Amino acid sequence: MAQRVTHSHEKEVTMPVGIVIRKSPGVTRWAAWSWRAVALLPGAGPAEWRELRREGEAVEYHAATVQVELHHTQTEAYLQGISAKVPSVYVVMRNGAAAHRDGAPLDVVLATASPFEAQDYADTGEEIVEKVPMPEGLVAWVRDFVEAHHQDEEFKKRRRDKRTIGDAQDGIGDPRIPQMSDVYRAPVMARKGRLH
């Protein structure tokens, strides 16, 4: 029987995860090849575009191994991620400046279990963010961490100030203070202010 992993004393944990990228023929005449992150290898060792398997023209590579980090302050995001219909890790990639073996155009920047962090990267428009389903072991690792550190924030209703809503603010609308343009002063108030 597998022993349950606990992280009760660690506020931050990491796990090396291999990123598998699939190269397949492009579907348009403008892109000869399509490159997509398709799988994860939890606990993988270092690799740089090592070929894993070939099916016709399609090739899968262990492109890189990156550290997936979990922080105790981000458990809300991880909880949302593992509660999704398909729990996923988000792989963030960038168009590669260096030419890789087989002409791979991507550099793997990071992998995250936080959909919020992935959204931040997607919003910049500079990186490519792909959602890759989490293997069961990775889901269990994230779930154990969340159970050890997550605390629901108690909702606190904000109390209203005891001030009167109709109070004048810094002389605005006060007929005793002459002002050239007072958009808050009613015409009647303006005439009364001039009479005194």
Side-chain angles (χ1 to χ4, degrees):
M1 185 168 148
Q3 189 176 15
R4 187 172 174 175
V5 179
T6 59
H7 310 282
S8 58
H9 63 286
E10 299 174 29
K11 293 184 182 259
E12 182 178 312
V13 295
T14 60
M15 178 187 288
V17 175
I19 308 301
V20 178
I21 294 184
R22 183 178 178 90
K23 172 188 172 185
S24 54
V27 292
T28 67
R29 61 181 164 173
W30 295 278
W33 298 102
S34 168
W35 299 84
R36 294 196 60 237
V38 294
L40 305 169
L41 305 170
E48 188 172 329
W49 294 94
R50 187 168 44 110
E51 186 175 319
L52 296 176
R53 99 181 153 164
R54 189 177 286 266
E55 293 176 4
E57 291 187 72
V59 184
E60 289 184 357
Y61 297 95
H62 178 181
T65 297
V66 294
Q67 297 291 326
V68 172
E69 298 178 3
L70 301 181
H71 299 273
H72 72 286
T73 58
Q74 304 297 317
T75 57
E76 183 67 38
Y78 307 141
L79 185 59
Q80 184 171 333
I82 62 174
S83 299
K85 189 173 183 179
V86 178
S88 300
V89 165
Y90 300 85
V91 178
V92 179
M93 298 172 289
R94 198 173 279 142
N95 286 327
H100 296 289
R101 191 179 82 147
D102 249 353
L106 301 172
D107 287 324
V108 177
V109 177
L110 68 91
T112 179
S114 167
F116 303 161
E117 184 179 12
Q119 185 63 49
D120 289 344
Y121 278 99
D123 287 346
T124 68
E126 295 175 14
E127 285 86 13
I128 301 159
V129 180
E130 291 190 0
K131 192 174 174 180
V132 181
M134 271 190 209
E136 283 299 316
L138 202 52
V139 173
W141 180 67
V142 175
R143 184 182 303 117
D144 286 350
F145 185 83
V146 169
E147 286 175 1
H149 294 286
H150 185 67
Q151 295 175 355
D152 285 323
E153 289 186 28
E154 184 180 328
F155 175 75
K156 293 182 182 176
K157 186 175 179 180
R158 195 171 63 94
R159 299 180 77 97
R160 280 193 182 182
D161 294 338
K162 301 274 187 210
R163 294 181 11 186
T164 310
I165 295 173
D167 282 351
Q169 178 184 2
D170 294 332
I172 296 175
D174 189 341
R176 297 171 294 171
I177 301 173
Q179 298 173 13
M180 292 297 289
S181 62
D182 189 348
V183 295
Y184 300 104
R185 187 179 310 167
V188 174
M189 296 278 290
R191 273 182 279 173
K192 283 183 185 176
R194 275 184 268 161
L195 293 175
H196 295 298

